[in-house]
Every structure is written in C-alpha cells, then in structure tokens.
Amino acid sequence: MAARLSGGENRLVSLPLSRIRVIMKSSPEVSSINQDALFLTAKATELFVQYLATYSYKHGRGKEKSALTYSDLSHTAEECETFQFLADILPKKILASKYLKMLEKEKRDGAVGGDDEDEEEEDDDEDESVEEDVGS
Amino acid sequence: MAERPEDLNLPNAVITRIIKEALPDGVNISKEARSAISRAASVFVLYATSCANNFAMKGKRKTLNAGDVLSAMEEMEFQRFVAPLKESLEVYRREQKGKKEARKDKDKKADSEEQDKSREEENDDDDERMEEEEPNEEEEVDN
C-alpha cells in the first residue's frame, strides 16, 4: 500500500482529487491539469491545512485554553506575511457596540465609512464577544 | 474570487481529521475555526492554481504540470512544502505505474475490453465521502 508520509492515514493523500480539480478548474485561465499537478496541489493543500493549524495554535491565545479558535486564525492572517493572502477571508472581529461607536466617530470626523459589509457569521459558537465581521 | 457554491468547499470530515492530527491531543477546535480553515484551504488551492498557471504560461504550455505547482509553492513562500511534496510525488508516480501494470495484466486476461480510457473525472461523487485517487493514465484534456 502507499507509504504513510503524512500522519494518520494510510493513504497518500486524504483530500479528494476530484474536488480539488473542481476548485482548480473554477479558475478561468486554466485549461488543463496534468495528473501529477493535481496530486501535488491536493497534497500541498493538506500540508497547508496542517501548517495553518499548528502555526495559529502556537502563536495564538487559544493555546492557554487548549483550543484553536477563530481569532487565532485571523491573528495569523494579519501578523504572518506568508498567510496574508487570507486576511480578507479571515477578518478580525469586534464587538458590535465597538463597531457602532467607530462608525459614529467616523461620521463626526467627516470620514465616510464606505466599505462596511455587515456579514453575520452563521456558526457563532465562540464567546459572546464576537458579533460582527469588520474588514480590516 | 467567485461566490462560494458548495462545490468549492472541501469535505468537512477530511479537513477536521487533518487538523486534529496536526495538533496535540486534546486540543479543541471550534466549529468556526474549522470552517475558517476549510475556506482558507479552498483559497489556497485557487491561489496556488493561479500561481502555477503563470509558470505554465511562461513556459508557453496550456497544461499545468508538477513543476509549475512546485514553482508556485516557492513563489508563495511555502518552500517548506517542496521537499515533502517531491517525496510524495515519487511515491504517487510509483503507485500509478503499479496500477497501470496491474490493469494491463487484467486487460490481457479480460480479453480486449475497453476499461479505462482517459476520461474526465466528472462522474465522481462530490459529497463529503473520502475517495480513492482516480487512476488516470494520461493528461486530462479539456473539451
């Protein structure tokens, strides 16, 4: 059978190649993908998931509670250059009340807060302080 | 990036397992964190694909190959992935070759039956089940 190069599974790669391929093909400029390239992308994605998780855990505050939290991840996206491409999809979160105060302040200062997207998170099982997404 | 239909997500169960195996025992992963990592992984695929495609275009090729992906990793500052990826690729190639041989033998016995031509993988199920890698013999060609 395949050698175990990544921990846990006996198979060489766990992520389904067909799904990876769907994502890759959604990129408009891509015409075709060699099978080796597909495999490498899937494998790289697994390595990426591992790296993102361990890095965020190591550098985040969830460690104190033996947990990996959303804010550990968004912290990583903001602080670590390698993960900065994730900053837009992992925005920092603040209390809704703080955000409203920010808006009021901007209004007073004459600045126009144009690009606020009020997106509610569906799964909100973090502590109650997390309410609104704010694009950083 | 386009909107996010279900197809662009990776299976939750697999993502969760990869995370759990990477972290020390007993660490809790919030549902929100898990979902965030999953989204990040999809973005990573897109970013890597786009980057690899640039290398292919530079080489005047229309098909992404292994070298393009590896170059993309360096470009994206994930050099640490390159060595393990190369290793895995060797194993994968050996596996694929082994499967090819096995199929050839089977074909000889089975009496000229057209089993797998190079077909698109569109038939694959897209739900969250884990699946075996597809034994594709040749490059995929887009129609």
Side-chain angles (χ1 to χ4, degrees), chain A residues 52 55-56 70-94 134-136:
Chain A
L52 177 60
Y55 187 97
S56 302
Y70 176 86
S71 80
D72 295 332
L73 295 166
S74 74
H75 188 74
T76 294
E78 185 163 301
E79 305 291 316
C80 179
E81 215 183 280
T82 313
F83 292 107
Q84 229 142 55
F85 70 96
L86 297 172
D88 284 347
I89 61 152
L90 300 177
K92 292 266 169 128
K93 299 192 171 199
I94 62 172
V134 179
S136 49

Side-chain angles (χ1 to χ4, degrees), chain A residues 2 7 9 11 16 18-19 21 24 31-32 34-36 45 51 54 66-68 89 93 126, chain B residues 9 17 21 28 30 32 39 49 62-64 80 92-93 95 120-121 124 126-127 131-132 140 142:
Chain A
E9 279 296 300
R11 54 180 66 220
S18 60
R19 192 77 67 88
R21 189 171 167 273
M24 293 177 85
S31 26
S32 53
N34 162 310
Q35 189 67 8
D36 284 350
T45 307
Y51 187 26
T54 50
S66 209
L68 180 65
I89 61 152
K93 299 192 171 199
E126 297 277 320
Chain B
N9 293 335
R17 187 187 330 117
E21 286 168 0
N28 283 322
S30 74
E32 208 179 8
R39 290 199 312 276
T49 302
K62 288 205 175 148
T63 304
L64 288 192
R80 53 172 56 216
Y92 178 70
R93 283 173 167 166
E95 246 187 34
E120 301 265 311
E121 291 177 273
D124 285 346
D126 278 344
D127 35 344
E131 46 189 341
E132 297 289 334
E140 297 173 37
D142 216 11

Side-chain angles (χ1 to χ4, degrees), chain A residues 45-64:
Chain A
T45 307
E46 285 187 18
L47 296 177
F48 169 79
V49 168
Q50 291 168 350
Y51 187 26
L52 177 60
T54 50
Y55 187 97
S56 302
Y57 181 66
K58 210 162 51 157
H59 293 85
R61 277 194 303 187
K63 199 163 162 195
E64 296 157 16

Side-chain angles (χ1 to χ4, degrees), chain A residues 108-135:
Chain A
R108 282 199 303 270
D109 296 351
V112 179
D115 56 343
D116 34 82
E117 300 166 64
D118 286 359
E119 282 176 73
E120 297 259 320
E121 282 284 320
E122 295 154 35
D123 39 357
D124 201 350
D125 59 339
E126 297 277 320
D127 37 333
E128 296 86 346
S129 65
V130 168
E131 291 196 21
E132 300 249 342
D133 276 340
V134 179

Side-chain angles (χ1 to χ4, degrees), chain B residues 51-100:
Chain B
C51 207
N53 197 50
N54 287 340
F55 284 101
M57 294 198 297
K58 260 192 240 176
K60 303 219 165 85
R61 285 175 281 105
K62 288 205 175 148
T63 304
L64 288 192
N65 65 25
D68 299 328
V69 177
L70 292 172
S71 302
M73 291 302 117
E74 304 229 10
E75 176 94 353
M76 291 160 68
E77 293 182 37
F78 290 111
Q79 296 93 334
R80 53 172 56 216
F81 292 172
V82 172
L85 283 177
K86 284 183 173 168
E87 243 184 77
S88 299
L89 182 60
E90 271 182 47
V91 179
Y92 178 70
R93 283 173 167 166
R94 282 204 299 272
E95 246 187 34
Q96 295 300 99
K97 193 159 157 226
K99 283 183 190 170
K100 239 197 230 184

Side-chain angles (χ1 to χ4, degrees), chain A residues 10-22:
Chain A
N10 278 327
R11 54 180 66 220
L12 197 47
V13 65
S14 312
L15 290 169
L17 295 192
S18 60
R19 192 77 67 88
I20 296 282
R21 189 171 167 273
V22 167

